Amino acid sequence: MKTEIINVTYENLNMELIKKAGLVIRQGGLVAFPTETVYGLGGDGLNPDSSKKIYQAKGRPSDNPLIIHIADFDALAPIVADIPEKALLLARKFWPGPLTMVFERSEIVPVETTGGLNTIAVRMPSDAIALAFIREAGGYVAAPSANRSGRPSPTSSKYVVEDMNGRIDMILDGGEESQIGIESTILDMTTQPPCILRPGYITKAMLEEEIGTVETDQTIFSNRSDLSPKAPGMKYRHYAPKGTMVLLEGKKEAVIEYINNETDKKLEQGFSVGIIGTDETMNAYTAGFIKSVGKRTDERMIARRLYLILREFDDENIQYIYSESFEGDGIGQAIMNRLLKAAGHSVIKLP
Ligand code: AMP
Ligand code: MG
C-alpha cells in the first residue's frame, strides 16, 4: 500500500487537505494524525472492518480495545449507554484534553472497536488538526497510538512514518512534536468510585478536585502476572525500545556510580550503551550515549521528552539502556509507569 504523507500546519489549517483525510476514514481507510498526547492511528470507530485494519496495521492483539475520539460533546451520548453526572463534570473541566473516560457502550459501537468489551473508551483531543479531522471523518475516529505494537508511542511524524509507511493510507504530518508527549489518563467511569486505569498528564489530584475520591488500578505498577489490569493494553510489554532497559532506584550518588560501572563493563564487552539522566546528573555520567530527559522538577518536560529519547536510542542502535527512576503522585506516576513498561519491570534497587 502506498502511504500518502500530507503536511498540514496549525497556523493556517488547510481544510481541503483535512477533508481529503476525513474522506479516507469515511471510506474505510486508515489515517495517522497528530494529537496533543501522541500521534494516533485512526479509523472509523463505527465500522468494524476499519477497527480490524487498525489491529492489523499495528500488529496489535485484538483483545486490546481502541479509544474513540470525538470532536464535540454532543457526539458522546449516541455511543454510550449513559453519562454519569461525574463524567459531565470532568468533561466540562478537562475536555478537550488528555483525559479518556470509559463508559458502558451503546449498541451502535461494534465489538471490534472495543476488543470484545461492553465498555467504550472516549476522548476529545484538544489538538486543532485532530478536531477538524475528526469532524470531517464523521465524528467517531477510533485510534490507538500510531506505533507498531510494543514500540514507544510516536511524538513526531518521523516515527509514525518509520512504523507505518506502507501499512496505512495516509499520514497527517502536523510538523511539530506532540505537546504532551505521553498517552492520555484513562479513567473508568463505570465503577464507584471511578478508577484510574492508566496514569497520565491529568493526575489523580486534579480529578479528585472535581469529583471527589478516585481510585487507582493497583496492577498499574505491579509485575504480578496473576493480576489482570482493567485496561487490557496495560498487560502487554509496551512503550519499549529495542535495547535491554534497566531502571535504577536509590540515592542519586549510588545510581550514578552503578550506571557508570555497568556502562564501562558493557562498553568493554563491545555493546552500545544509553543512559537516561536528568539535567542535575548529566555531567556526572562518564561514558555511553548520555541523554537528559530534563529538569527533575519539571515533570511535564520529562513526560514530553521520554518517548523521543527512547526512539533516539533505537536510532543509534543502543543495546543496553540504564535509566534513573522517578516518583511522586503527579505526572511522575505516569512517567514511572511508562518506564516500568519500557523496561519490562526490570528494576534494580540500590541500598
Ligand atoms: P493506546 O491509545 O494505544 O494507548 O491504546 C488504548 C488504550 O486504552 C489501551 O491501553 C486499552 O487497553 C485502553 N482501553 C480502550 N478501551 C478500553 C475499555 N473499554 N476499558 C478499559 N481500557 C480501555
Ligand atoms: Mg499505544
Side-chain angles (χ1 to χ4, degrees):
M1 178 188 294
K2 171 134 179 53
T3 302
E4 195 174 351
I5 301 172
I6 291 191
N7 295 305
V8 263
T9 53
Y10 286 89
E11 296 75 55
N12 204 342
L13 270 193
N14 184 330
M15 284 313 290
E16 285 308 307
L17 296 178
I18 304 262
K19 278 203 171 86
K20 193 171 162 191
L23 187 63
V24 172
I25 297 289
R26 283 189 275 130
Q27 291 174 340
L30 302 186
V31 177
F33 63 102
T35 83
E36 72 279 18
T37 57
V38 301
Y39 270 78
L41 171 55
D44 180 353
L46 303 185
N47 178 346
D49 291 332
S50 297
S51 292
K52 282 190 205 151
K53 281 191 198 167
I54 292 177
Y55 289 108
Q56 256 168 23
K58 268 184 80 89
R60 178 176 186 136
S62 59
D63 66 344
N64 186 357
L66 312 174
I67 294 172
I68 288 202
H69 292 68
I70 58 174
D72 299 284
F73 187 76
D74 289 347
L76 180 62
I79 54 171
V80 301
D82 89 308
I83 305 175
E85 187 64 30
K86 288 178 180 174
L88 273 177
L89 293 173
L90 292 174
R92 211 170 284 152
K93 177 78 183 176
F94 297 112
W95 278 3
L99 174 68
T100 296
M101 289 191 271
V102 174
F103 302 89
E104 306 287 348
R105 73 175 168 88
S106 77
E107 292 297 316
I108 67 165
V109 181
V111 287
E112 283 78 1
T113 301
T114 68
L117 297 175
N118 280 324
T119 52
I120 176 74
V122 188
R123 179 166 105 82
M124 188 194 295
S126 63
D127 183 284
I129 293 174
L131 287 171
F133 162 66
I134 292 164
R135 289 192 187 108
E136 293 301 329
Y140 297 102
V141 174
S145 48
N147 50 285
R148 295 293 296 272
S149 191
R151 302 212 59 212
S153 302
T155 55
S156 78
S157 61
K158 172 183 167 196
Y159 296 116
V160 179
V161 174
E162 193 175 296
D163 279 19
M164 291 298 160
N165 199 15
R167 305 180 70 85
I168 62 178
D169 300 283
M170 188 181 280
I171 296 172
L172 285 178
D173 179 350
E176 296 170 14
E177 270 164 31
S178 310
Q179 290 290 318
I180 288 177
I182 56 170
E183 303 85 349
S184 58
T185 304
I186 302 181
L187 185 66
D188 186 354
M189 301 306 298
T190 69
T191 58
Q192 203 39 269
C195 183
I196 295 174
L197 307 185
R198 175 171 75 186
Y201 186 86
I202 308 279
T203 63
K204 185 165 183 274
M206 290 160 77
L207 296 168
E208 289 190 327
E209 201 173 311
E210 300 305 314
I211 59 164
T213 306
V214 164
E215 285 179 347
T216 305
D217 183 8
Q218 282 315 308
T219 64
I220 286 173
F221 300 100
S222 139
N223 194 24
R224 282 173 52 186
S225 54
D226 56 323
L227 299 176
S228 148
K230 288 193 211 146
M234 299 302 275
K235 76 182 173 221
Y236 297 104
R237 180 161 185 247
H238 224 209
Y239 321 124
K242 290 174 186 156
T244 303
M245 183 164 157
V246 180
L247 296 183
L248 282 307
E249 275 181 9
K251 288 214 187 69
K252 185 170 110 184
E253 293 72 23
V255 167
I256 290 168
E257 190 187 328
Y258 182 96
I259 290 181
N260 279 336
N261 284 338
E262 283 307 301
T263 300
D264 287 346
K265 271 191 233 161
K266 286 285 186 282
L267 289 174
E268 220 160 273
Q269 291 164 9
F271 295 112
S272 51
V273 180
I275 298 173
I276 302 181
T278 48
D279 287 2
E280 291 83 349
T281 56
M282 271 291 275
N283 294 328
Y285 294 111
T286 48
F289 195 70
I290 307 161
K291 291 257 165 195
S292 171
V293 271
K295 280 216 314 252
R296 217 163 235 290
T297 46
D298 189 353
E299 290 182 333
R300 296 206 158 118
M301 184 53 79
I302 295 176
R304 190 172 173 186
R305 285 181 47 77
L306 186 62
Y307 287 140
L308 182 69
I309 287 179
L310 294 178
R311 288 272 180 172
E312 283 172 354
F313 284 144
D314 284 352
D315 294 345
E316 302 291 330
N317 292 312
I318 299 292
Q319 291 162 294
Y320 283 90
I321 300 167
Y322 299 99
S323 174
E324 294 178 16
S325 297
F326 299 86
E327 55 208 18
D329 304 327
I331 303 172
Q333 210 170 65
I335 295 166
M336 199 53 191
N337 166 258
R338 304 307 194 276
L339 279 172
L340 281 167
K341 293 260 162 200
H345 283 269
S346 169
V347 184
I348 295 177
K349 292 188 167 61
L350 301 169

